[in-house]
Amino acid sequence: MMRSLASAAVLLAATGMTTAAMAQTTAPASASAPLANPPIPEGGFATSDATDPYLWLEEVDGARAMEWVKAHNERSLGILQGDPRYEPLHQQALAIVQSKDRIPAPGFNHDGTITNFWQDADHVRGVWRKTTLDSYRSETPQWETVLDFDALAASEGKNWVYKGASCLPPDERLCLVSLSDGGKDAVVVREFDSVSKTFVENGFSLPESKGGASWIDADTLLISRDFGPGTLTTSNYPMIVKRLTRGQTVDQAETVFTGQPSDVSVSGYALRDADGVIKATLINRAVNFYESETFRLNADGSTTKLELPAKSDINALVQGQLIVSMKQDWTAPSGQTFLTGDVIAWNLDAWLADSKTQAKLVIRPTERQAIEGLTATRNKLVVALFDNVRGGIEVYDPSDWSHSRMDLPRNVTVGVGSASETDDRLFVSVAGYLNPSSLYLADAATGAAAVVKSLPAKFDATGMQVDQFEARSADGTMIPYFVVHKSDIPMDGSNPTLLYGYGGFENSLLPGYSATVGKLWLERGGVYVVANTRGGGEFGPKWHDAALQENRHKAHEDFQAVALDLEARHITSQPKLGIMGGSQGGLFMGAMLTQRPDLINAAVIQVPLFDMLRFNKLLAGASWQGEYGNPDVPEERAWIQAYSPYQNLRAGMNYPEVFIHTSTKDDRVHPGHARKAAARLEELGYPVLFYENTDGGHAAGANLLETARRIALEYTYLTRRLMDQPAQQ
């Protein structure tokens, strides 16, 4: 749950796009070393609360702040929506996001039926529905509505956004439905009967809070919530796990675990086998964003800490084997040594009885490989293994851990989807930058896979190609990146080019199909570039760790190196180069803006982090100190202050007009970051477009109408900045 900063940002950009024919070449050395920001003097702008004139913009719903938002929205929307190109782009975006010929994302139920959450023009908030597998595989599935969220919102007068459901195995009749008011991370949880299709009268009902709720049995939950003063961590996540029995109020629930205020969060869940039988009840204590402790909740209410490395993930339980991935080098109690990136397995019962039980090494990726997905069917372990950002599916047999490759297209992005717990079937997605997504129904037992759904082309890819290049970063590391473009573009620096990056939290930017990027940018002659910088997970945990904390600057240098390489290859030039990123990627854009404004002429900065000297004091910010460091520690503050965009905005620079957008309802990355960035730029005399959606949460859109508007605003801005500008002579 806590590694979720990345998720909405990737959705925001709609970058997920691979191709079966990617050219790969090695880049020349970067043209120049990255420029460092000059030191900020003691007492400089926003280095303390006393020197930050815009703290009032952190009052999310403050009257003064909202008047400022209203004025900026009116100006920015007037400019962008007033552009004659906005409405055609808006209609194209709306048609794409509301289209009904998208692939419905399927989920296996234990009874073999398929569930799906669906949004379109008729279901803007969405509908939870189900059908049979045979019907799903047909051209016109017959869907049965389980819960209509548009109807629910209308009947209750609420701005409900669906945030998922957890159903009690094995029959999965009773479900915990999470509902967000306007898209916030905080949710209310209500018990729902999926057979009668009604909320359970006097059933489990949890008030709005961040946190989780997990089934133990039909009458018992483990809940981690805001239980009142002193029950949240400094990251504003739950610090306490309680056992709630049917009929009790939340206040009457029994405390089973209490973490520390300095923790990120705590949560509880049941580890079940394929038949839904609980094999262990576990408590996870996230000490920081990357380090955690796992405890077994014993029958007498006591807890036993499990012998696992601090940086590791429990991934699956298959045929009695517990699958764990290593995020650090580790010597187990058995004396065995494992390396960062390894996937290992224990016989669960034997290991719980004796922590010195020998583990089995299942996978050891190479330096240019990464595991991007891992799931279990009833009898098999299925792994999406990527080699140099190209994917394939490997199937492992727990009886001897032999493995074979699934019969799927090569040199593409693959994703493991929902897996059956009654047999070895699962869904696998396959996509390319220029190839519409396809969904396969695969059998892990035989390795066979057949297409069940294919997305029709949403843009004309005729005459387009995908290249994979590498740029040399400041320390000599080669950074891969993808370029999607029309084959006949002139190599004279005249091509409007959008460079996307993220660079954090081990989030990999994998190739995939994006209809909006294709229709609103590529079709119109734009070039689209995705940078696989350090900080991501494209080559496993080490690729991420290389840009952690004091090494954050390496990710910024990687992104700059890609921009320099694009210009060295004459794909684009400064007047034609724009950048885009959200959340952590918004911080990425801010670093590029303040360090190398000479390389760019546009920046779309989405729901960003920007004031890195106060990030840990705003909403969930303290949870990300494992990624960035703690600005309240002098040594760590020094490296953070060196790149924090808010403090490093300066007069006399050639900053382009930027487009910054955020959401009032974002309770993950505080909207104050974006507001203060815009205010400071304006104070220094720079043009800036700022837009704040009053709904939407961290995804910046509570429904499809808002999503289409955001996309159209972005591409109208990019058109004005990059397609209208003369090329560099």
Side-chain angles (χ1 to χ4, degrees):
M1 179 192 70
M2 299 312 306
R3 297 187 185 181
S4 58
L5 181 63
S7 59
V10 176
L11 291 173
L12 269 172
T15 67
M17 292 170 103
T18 271
T19 182
M22 292 185 264
Q24 182 178 13
T25 63
T26 301
S30 55
S32 62
L35 302 176
N37 289 317
I40 298 174
E42 186 173 345
F45 175 80
T47 53
S48 67
D49 289 0
T51 58
D52 185 353
Y54 299 115
L55 284 179
W56 57 275
L57 285 171
E58 294 180 3
E59 299 174 19
V60 176
D61 296 312
R64 183 184 178 192
M66 291 310 296
E67 280 298 315
W68 183 94
V69 168
K70 180 181 178 182
H72 282 75
N73 280 355
E74 288 177 354
R75 176 183 177 273
S76 298
L77 291 178
I79 291 172
L80 294 175
Q81 291 184 328
D83 189 295
R85 289 157 301 190
Y86 169 81
E87 192 53 36
L89 290 170
H90 179 239
Q91 290 303 318
Q92 290 175 336
L94 198 60
I96 288 170
V97 302
Q98 292 187 337
S99 65
K100 296 186 178 183
D101 56 5
R102 291 170 286 128
I103 297 175
F108 272 108
N109 282 336
H110 205 274
D111 64 2
T113 59
I114 300 297
T115 59
N116 167 251
F117 174 69
W118 182 256
Q119 293 173 290
D120 59 26
D122 300 323
H123 306 94
V124 176
R125 299 177 187 277
V127 58
W128 174 16
R129 58 190 188 170
K130 68 178 182 178
T131 190
T132 66
L133 179 58
D134 287 342
S135 179
Y136 179 80
R137 298 179 69 174
S138 71
E139 291 188 8
T140 56
Q142 300 302 303
W143 293 101
E144 176 186 346
T145 297
V146 178
L147 181 57
D148 185 326
F149 296 97
D150 294 272
L152 179 68
S155 67
E156 297 185 349
K158 292 284 191 176
N159 186 18
W160 288 135
V161 175
Y162 175 59
K163 290 285 187 173
S166 171
C167 299
L168 176 64
D171 64 6
E172 297 174 324
R173 174 171 182 164
L174 297 179
C175 303
L176 299 174
V177 175
S178 295
L179 298 169
S180 163
D181 180 9
K184 295 183 290 186
D185 283 353
V187 296
V188 299
V189 178
R190 293 158 62 179
E191 186 179 8
F192 184 79
D193 186 324
S194 64
V195 174
S196 67
K197 303 176 185 176
T198 58
F199 287 100
V200 176
E201 186 175 357
N202 299 319
F204 289 116
S205 181
L206 306 178
E208 183 180 80
S209 170
K210 293 183 181 181
S214 299
W215 290 103
I216 298 301
D217 57 41
D219 295 314
T220 313
L221 304 179
L222 283 184
I223 61 174
S224 50
R225 318 290 293 168
D226 181 353
F227 297 112
T231 67
L232 296 180
T233 67
T234 54
S235 297
N236 290 305
Y237 288 103
M239 188 177 69
I240 293 173
V241 178
K242 294 190 177 187
R243 182 190 288 112
L244 178 66
T245 302
R246 188 175 296 279
Q248 289 183 322
T249 65
V250 171
D251 291 339
Q252 293 171 329
E254 173 194 3
T255 296
V256 296
F257 188 85
T258 301
Q260 298 296 320
S262 59
D263 293 343
V264 171
S265 69
V266 298
S267 59
Y269 64 100
L271 183 65
R272 301 176 187 268
D273 65 16
D275 294 316
V277 177
I278 295 178
K279 307 304 291 185
T281 301
L282 303 179
I283 305 291
N284 179 265
R285 176 193 173 208
V287 178
N288 59 43
F289 205 86
Y290 297 108
E291 296 182 328
S292 64
E293 296 176 343
T294 302
F295 297 82
R296 184 183 187 186
L297 181 60
N298 301 313
D300 62 1
S302 64
T303 57
T304 303
K305 184 180 176 182
L306 302 182
E307 294 291 339
L308 289 168
K311 292 184 177 182
S312 63
D313 291 327
I314 294 175
N315 302 115
L317 178 64
V318 54
Q319 290 294 296
Q321 301 292 307
L322 183 70
I323 311 302
V324 179
S325 56
M326 299 288 105
K327 301 299 178 72
Q328 66 180 71
D329 295 350
W330 182 61
T331 300
S334 63
Q336 298 169 281
T337 298
F338 298 104
L339 305 180
T340 302
D342 286 353
V343 175
I344 65 176
W346 281 287
N347 178 285
L348 177 63
D349 291 339
W351 179 67
L352 289 176
D354 182 3
S355 64
K356 294 183 179 180
T357 296
Q358 291 274 308
K360 175 67 176 179
L361 175 65
V362 180
I363 309 171
R364 175 163 290 167
T366 67
E367 287 294 319
R368 300 297 271 189
Q369 289 182 328
I371 294 168
E372 295 289 354
L374 192 156
T375 193
T377 63
R378 185 172 187 85
N379 302 298
K380 305 290 183 181
L381 178 68
V382 183
V383 179
L385 185 64
F386 279 64
D387 198 329
N388 203 30
V389 207
R390 296 176 166 106
I393 299 289
E394 298 285 338
V395 178
Y396 290 79
D397 186 339
S399 65
D400 58 4
W401 294 116
S402 60
H403 62 97
S404 59
R405 193 177 183 92
M406 189 170 285
D407 185 17
L408 292 167
R410 301 298 179 101
N411 295 324
V412 295
T413 285
V414 296
V416 289
S418 180
S420 172
E421 294 181 329
T422 58
D423 55 33
D424 292 312
R425 293 177 298 178
L426 76 156
F427 290 103
V428 177
S429 60
V430 174
Y433 277 113
L434 302 178
N435 306 100
S437 302
S438 295
L439 185 71
Y440 287 69
L441 180 60
D443 188 334
T446 65
V451 175
V452 291
K453 300 285 182 185
S454 291
L455 188 71
K458 294 294 184 177
F459 63 93
D460 185 1
T462 304
M464 293 185 187
Q465 71 183 60
V466 179
D467 300 317
Q468 186 183 33
F469 299 122
E470 289 185 326
R472 189 181 302 279
S473 194
D475 65 358
T477 301
M478 302 309 293
I479 309 302
Y481 67 95
F482 291 101
V483 183
V484 191
H485 61 94
K486 291 187 175 181
S487 301
D488 60 356
I489 61 170
M491 304 300 279
D492 60 1
S494 66
N495 302 294
T497 300
L498 177 59
L499 169 60
Y500 183 80
Y502 186 79
F505 295 93
E506 205 178 335
N507 181 62
S508 301
L509 298 185
L510 305 176
Y513 192 78
S514 171
T516 51
V517 170
K519 190 70 178 178
L520 279 66
W521 190 247
L522 293 173
E523 257 194 21
R524 300 168 62 227
V527 175
Y528 184 66
V529 182
V530 176
N532 300 120
T533 67
R534 285 173 288 185
E538 288 86 346
F539 300 127
K542 290 183 178 179
W543 191 248
H544 164 251
D545 293 351
L548 205 59
Q549 298 195 1
E550 69 269 28
N551 291 318
R552 173 62 41 179
H553 64 94
K554 293 182 181 293
H556 302 154
E557 292 167 1
D558 294 351
F559 196 62
Q560 294 162 15
V562 172
L564 287 162
D565 201 58
L566 289 168
E567 297 188 6
R569 294 179 186 277
H570 306 294
I571 292 171
T572 194
S573 57
Q574 180 273 331
K576 294 292 186 177
L577 180 59
I579 56 175
M580 176 188 281
S583 192
Q584 146 63 31
L587 170 61
F588 226 37
M589 301 307 106
M592 177 69 108
L593 178 69
T594 54
Q595 294 175 26
R596 293 306 305 263
D598 57 308
L599 297 178
I600 60 173
N601 196 36
V604 178
I605 304 174
Q606 308 161 316
V607 290
L609 286 160
F610 226 81
D611 182 355
M612 296 304 290
L613 297 189
R614 281 181 56 77
F615 84 91
N616 61 331
K617 297 178 173 63
L618 301 175
L619 297 176
S623 67
W624 309 321
Q625 291 177 159
E627 180 81 6
Y628 302 118
N630 184 348
D632 296 330
V633 175
E635 177 188 0
E636 299 176 17
R637 182 184 183 88
W639 76 60
I640 295 170
Q641 184 169 291
Y643 69 79
S644 179
Y646 185 51
Q647 285 74 22
N648 281 290
L649 290 169
R650 307 188 300 281
M653 304 298 291
N654 291 322
Y655 299 146
E657 177 189 64
V658 299
F659 178 32
I660 304 172
H661 67 73
T662 188
S663 167
T664 310
K665 291 289 182 70
D666 188 346
D667 56 350
R668 193 180 314 174
V669 175
H670 197 292
H673 285 281
R675 296 172 179 179
K676 292 183 0 177
R680 176 59 170 167
L681 281 165
E682 289 178 325
E683 176 195 337
L684 293 171
Y686 298 107
V688 59
L689 294 171
F690 175 89
Y691 171 65
E692 182 170 318
N693 187 12
T694 54
D695 283 323
H698 194 50
N703 58 57
L704 296 178
L705 298 176
E706 294 173 1
T707 298
R709 178 174 57 189
R710 172 186 60 77
I711 292 169
L713 291 172
E714 291 174 341
Y715 284 98
T716 301
Y717 162 80
L718 291 167
T719 299
R720 293 165 62 90
R721 294 300 304 171
L722 305 181
M723 290 184 170
D724 290 354
Q725 297 295 323
Q728 190 173 46
Q729 300 300 317

